[in-house]
Amino acid sequence: PGVGKSRLLSELKTLIQRRDGTVLDGCAYEAESGRPFGPWIDALCRIPTTSVGRELGTSLAPLLPEFAPAGEEEVSRTRLFGAVVELIAARAHSAPPVLLVIDDLHWCDEASTSLIHYVARMNRHRPVLIALAARDGEMPDNPPVQGLVRGLRHDLGLEEISLSRLSREDTATLARQLRGDIDPERVFEASGGNPLFTIELTRTISGRAADRPSSLTTLVGDRVSRLPPTAVEVLAWASVLGQSSRIDVLEALVSPDDGELMGALETLERHALLTAKRSARPGVAVYEFAHALVRRVIYGDISEPRRRLMHLRAAEALERLRAADEAVVAGIAYHASLAGEASMAARACLAASQRCLRFFASGQAVAFAKQGLRHARQLRDPERVRLQIELHELGIAARRPADVEKVVRALEGLADYALDCGAVEHARRGFNLVGFLRWESGDWNAAERLNTRAELVGKVVGEDERVIADADVAHCLTLLERDLGRAEALLLEARAMSERTGTEPYTIADGMGLLRVYQGKSAEAREAFDRARMLARRDGDRLGEFQALEHRVMLEVLDGCYAEAEPLCDELVAIGDKLREGSEAPVARVLSRLCAYSRDAGAVHSDLEAALQDLRFADAKHRLAFALTRAAEIDLRAGRAETALARAEEALVAATTVGRRSEIVFARIALAWATAALGDAAALESHLAALGESAAPGTPSHALAAAQRAVRELTGAMPGVTAAAGG
């Protein structure tokens, strides 16, 4: 600290400005390290809104709030990243070169690092410069930043410059430039070659004085002691708020009236302790410390009890601003944590995690969920158990647990305890969440058992909660292909209640869509999936949005409409790549490769195989069975019977393992056609017999119809094969 990294960036910015280039200047802050895209919001607000344009501004609305549309239109991460690249490309054409500066990278959030890497890759052929500054010692604590640096080294030949202290000669040169009557030798002895300390010493003391401050802490303390009391109070509050402070927050915290506050800020600017900077939020001024070390000295002089009280007041002030600016939730969590207010901190972490999920910032969402769980453990029941279940929901939505069994045990325990505490709705949510994890892991019998328990618990909640409870239970049954009659009854009941209450979860439409697929009603299914996707986006449920779109794509593939499925797959891949580390991204890529495979199997065979292998590693057997069966159908049409046979055999094993009835039938149909193509009458007879046994009551109608059609066509395909087995 103080070695000159921020000054180096300042010199770079001056060089670009002298050439009439574009400077995008952002900084990461410790107190805002969980705010998605924080440095980018600061950087892009440097561009005049007239240079952005309304159409591009709408895509940039998450980073430039002044362009947010009146409605609730969502901007996908892919669209947002593309818009940033488009904006920078336009500036590189109209006002080159473009310099993107991010200071204090070591506090950068995961979403910002992803965007930095994307912008760097997409602009490598343009006059765009990127300068990032960080402290080496702090980077190991931030894995996304470490990943960014590794990626830039590998992909773009990152140039790294290490800054060291000034030499004796350079210290003397700097000191003499600032003050001609200074004794540079004594300045060097006191500063040790630290540029910031050198500058502060030269500005504030006589180089010949015997009582020269021995440290920067002492020097800053001496400067502050000469300030008016109001300025000292403002400086203390600013140090609590962090490296930067919004004036509306300072107004809520500092006792003087507006005139005194502005006078104090002017005094602090004049003494080079605070500087005014442009805010990312129009109409809200922001002040930041001239250097992080100055802030550290001021903050360190505040006693621990007073700090806790000041952090609590800061959290309360931000809570009052939350309705107008949701981005402050990360700050609430930060200050409430330092204040020791576990309940406020846990709830702020919950809100911050939800916001991160809407920005596809999964890593930050998980971090906030974990932080919230730590705070929630300090609370009394039933608040503790409620918050822990809600935080687990968000953590699982953001990332598949590394140790599923451990999380399942913890959640079942929480759900049971929630029942004991009278938190019935949270008990239902806990059992439903465990059921989801069991479904995702392929243990469908356990998923059905937990789903039944969730249904029983859900019968004693209020009507609003009952809508969600019935929809969740029915949705799970449709995913499991179990008891579809009861599933439809529950969905119809949930839909009727939703019309009365105004509560409409995406699971109603998605469950209805799945039922219509099973009934062979494709047109109705398409409408239902499209509505489910819209509702999930409305609620910021990215996993639900993916699931609804996945079902829409699978419907098109099932109907053989690969041309219609292909553009939807592009959207699915884009969402899947930004979601949790589960089977979503692999299945999106498999479905995309299937569409390409249907057009040109020879050219993309290796791409499909690689994608299937990733899906095998993800261990999503229900998704794998679907993909393998469709690939086998394509192979059969192309005359590759042996390849189709191998795929269908693997699909049958996967479908049987999870008890996916429709996929068992479709895999057996593919096997029958493959053996018929290979001329194996005995094998065909065996598969037809098995097909007749698998097409039993409870099997979805569309699979039964496909089985009956296949039996009719195959019994005449080879001499000696009878229809009795497949009746």
Side-chain angles (χ1 to χ4, degrees):
V3 79
K5 67 176 178 61
S6 298
R7 180 56 184 269
L8 176 59
L9 295 182
S10 177
E11 291 297 318
L12 283 170
K13 289 183 282 187
T14 300
L15 286 171
I16 299 301
Q17 287 164 344
R18 285 174 181 165
R19 294 182 57 181
D20 295 324
T22 300
V23 174
L24 305 177
D25 182 13
C27 184
Y29 299 104
E30 182 180 16
E32 300 177 6
S33 58
R35 181 167 69 115
F37 302 112
W40 280 99
I41 294 171
D42 292 343
L44 294 182
C45 76
R46 313 291 177 188
I47 299 178
T49 55
T50 54
S51 300
V52 177
R54 173 55 58 182
E55 185 175 348
L56 186 59
T58 301
S59 297
L60 292 167
L63 308 183
L64 298 174
E66 61 267 34
F67 286 102
E72 293 295 321
E73 181 183 356
E74 288 279 353
V75 176
S76 70
R77 181 153 166 159
T78 302
R79 179 179 165 193
L80 175 64
F81 279 30
V84 173
V85 169
E86 185 178 343
L87 178 62
I88 291 176
R91 298 299 298 180
H93 176 74
S94 62
V98 175
L99 172 66
L100 170 65
V101 168
I102 304 291
D103 200 1
D104 287 330
L105 182 72
H106 47 273
W107 284 322
C108 215
D109 62 284
E110 182 184 46
S112 293
T113 60
S114 297
L115 184 50
I116 291 169
H117 190 268
Y118 184 77
V119 165
R121 285 194 301 106
M122 301 304 291
N123 285 288
R124 66 180 98 195
H125 59 291
R126 298 188 178 102
V128 176
L129 312 172
I130 299 177
L132 312 170
R135 290 202 285 270
D136 282 348
E138 309 230 21
M139 284 206 296
D141 296 329
N142 192 328
V145 169
Q146 288 183 298
L148 169 66
V149 172
R150 284 195 302 270
L152 293 176
R153 283 174 184 154
H154 179 269
D155 299 335
L156 297 164
L158 176 70
E159 181 181 356
E160 299 177 63
I161 303 170
S162 296
L163 301 183
S164 58
R165 292 174 180 268
L166 298 179
S167 66
R168 188 180 299 271
E169 293 74 19
D170 288 338
T171 301
T173 301
L174 176 59
R176 288 196 184 102
Q177 284 178 344
L178 294 169
R179 190 165 175 175
D181 64 345
I182 204 76
D183 180 351
E185 185 63 27
R186 292 184 177 179
V187 171
F188 179 75
E189 290 175 1
S191 69
N194 183 291
L196 178 65
F197 197 4
T198 298
I199 292 169
E200 293 297 330
L201 281 167
T202 307
R203 282 176 174 169
T204 57
I205 66 167
S206 167
R208 301 184 184 89
D211 57 345
R212 183 180 299 106
S214 59
S215 69
L216 185 60
T217 300
T218 305
L219 190 150
V220 173
D222 289 345
R223 288 175 61 190
V224 172
S225 67
R226 295 192 287 270
L227 294 172
T230 301
V232 174
E233 182 186 3
V234 171
L235 201 61
W237 277 112
S239 75
V240 168
L241 291 174
Q243 181 63 17
S244 69
S245 306
R246 285 170 42 164
I247 194 168
D248 54 345
V249 181
L250 284 172
E251 287 172 345
L253 296 170
V254 180
S255 53
D257 58 32
D258 290 346
E260 288 183 282
L261 174 59
M262 294 310 301
L265 290 170
E266 289 171 3
T267 299
L268 294 169
E269 279 195 275
R270 191 167 60 252
H271 284 77
L273 292 166
L274 292 183
T275 59
K277 59 171 285 190
R278 182 174 176 181
S279 170
R281 189 170 180 81
V284 179
V286 171
Y287 287 81
E288 70 175 12
F289 279 91
H291 197 280
L293 276 177
V294 176
R295 184 248 169 184
R296 191 178 301 176
V297 171
I298 305 300
Y299 186 73
D301 281 343
I302 303 173
S303 68
E304 181 62 27
R306 188 179 174 219
R307 275 189 210 169
R308 290 168 66 93
L309 181 59
M310 292 174 79
H311 279 296
L312 175 58
R313 285 194 55 197
E316 291 170 342
L318 290 172
E319 185 65 55
R320 290 192 290 273
L321 295 171
R322 181 175 164 187
D325 184 6
E326 190 189 12
V328 301
V329 291
I332 297 171
Y334 172 80
H335 291 294
S337 175
L338 291 175
E341 289 293 320
S343 178
M344 181 186 288
R347 294 184 183 281
C349 286
L350 184 74
S353 184
Q354 290 170 329
R355 185 170 186 273
C356 289
L357 279 178
R358 289 199 296 276
F359 276 92
F360 292 98
S362 298
Q364 289 302 117
V366 171
F368 273 120
K370 288 182 177 178
Q371 183 182 340
L373 285 168
R374 289 195 297 271
H375 292 305
R377 291 190 195 105
Q378 304 173 43
L379 304 176
R380 301 179 66 178
D381 291 321
E383 184 182 21
R384 174 192 68 86
V385 71
R386 286 179 176 141
L387 279 170
Q388 284 188 318
I389 288 173
E390 291 180 34
L391 287 159
H392 271 299
E393 278 182 325
L394 290 171
I396 291 167
R399 182 171 297 163
R400 190 170 190 264
D403 188 341
V404 173
E405 285 303 317
K406 180 180 178 181
V407 174
V408 161
R409 288 194 299 272
L411 272 170
E412 283 206 74
L414 285 170
D416 281 327
Y417 198 72
L419 276 178
D420 295 339
C421 294
V424 179
E425 167 59 12
H426 283 75
R428 183 200 65 77
R429 289 166 68 171
F431 290 128
N432 189 70
L433 196 56
V434 176
F436 168 78
L437 289 173
R438 291 301 191 196
W439 168 81
E440 189 176 47
S441 300
D443 189 350
W444 286 24
N445 290 326
E448 186 175 23
R449 174 180 59 80
L450 287 156
N451 190 53
T452 300
R453 191 166 186 192
E455 181 183 9
L456 292 172
V457 173
K459 290 188 180 300
V460 296
V461 297
E463 194 169 58
D464 278 340
E465 293 83 6
R466 181 71 182 278
V467 172
I468 299 171
D470 283 358
D472 283 348
V473 169
H475 188 242
C476 184
L477 289 173
T478 58
L479 290 172
L480 295 171
E481 293 187 358
R482 309 280 176 91
D483 207 346
L484 297 179
R486 184 160 65 98
E488 183 160 22
L490 285 169
L491 286 171
L492 291 171
E493 185 178 353
R495 189 163 64 184
M497 283 191 291
S498 75
E499 291 172 356
R500 293 195 300 271
T501 63
T503 301
E504 186 180 4
Y506 90 95
T507 45
I508 295 177
D510 197 54
M512 280 294 188
L514 288 170
L515 283 173
R516 299 303 175 243
V517 170
Y518 301 151
Q519 294 162 0
K521 300 176 181 178
S522 295
E524 293 180 33
R526 288 185 182 90
E527 290 181 9
F529 292 143
D530 289 343
R531 179 164 184 80
R533 185 185 178 193
M534 181 272 292
L535 292 169
R537 290 185 65 180
R538 177 203 66 185
D539 297 336
D541 185 347
R542 301 304 187 189
L543 199 55
E545 179 186 354
F546 179 91
Q547 196 170 55
L549 182 56
E550 177 193 9
H551 292 154
R552 176 78 153 80
V553 170
M554 293 172 80
L555 171 61
E556 301 299 346
V557 170
L558 191 63
D559 287 350
C561 302
Y562 287 97
E564 288 77 4
E566 200 154 11
L568 297 174
C569 283
D570 293 339
E571 296 181 60
L572 194 68
V573 169
I575 298 173
D577 284 343
K578 305 299 183 292
L579 279 178
R580 58 208 289 276
E581 297 173 4
S583 59
E584 286 75 22
V587 77
R589 286 192 291 273
V590 163
L591 291 171
S592 179
R593 300 295 188 274
L594 265 177
C595 291
Y597 193 61
S598 70
R599 286 187 284 103
D600 188 1
V604 295
H605 177 76
S606 60
D607 289 345
L608 177 60
E609 285 304 314
L612 285 168
Q613 190 61 23
D614 288 343
L615 190 55
R616 292 184 185 102
F617 286 142
D619 198 27
K621 291 182 175 60
H622 59 294
R623 285 168 162 155
L624 180 63
F626 179 90
L628 286 167
T629 302
R630 265 75 248 175
E633 291 170 356
I634 295 170
D635 288 324
L636 283 167
R637 288 196 297 271
R640 294 184 294 273
E642 290 186 357
T643 303
L645 183 67
R647 292 196 201 279
E649 286 174 343
E650 185 182 357
L652 180 60
V653 171
T656 303
T657 300
V658 296
R660 181 82 170 182
R661 294 177 181 176
S662 62
E663 290 309 322
I664 291 172
V665 171
F666 285 119
R668 290 197 183 281
I669 291 171
L671 282 169
W673 279 110
T675 52
L678 292 170
D680 190 340
L684 173 58
E685 185 107 28
S686 173
H687 287 310
L688 287 175
L691 188 59
E693 293 170 4
S694 61
T699 302
S701 301
H702 72 311
L704 284 173
Q708 291 165 359
R709 185 168 57 252
V711 168
R712 286 196 304 270
E713 294 172 0
L714 283 164
T715 49
M718 295 183 67
V721 175
T722 64

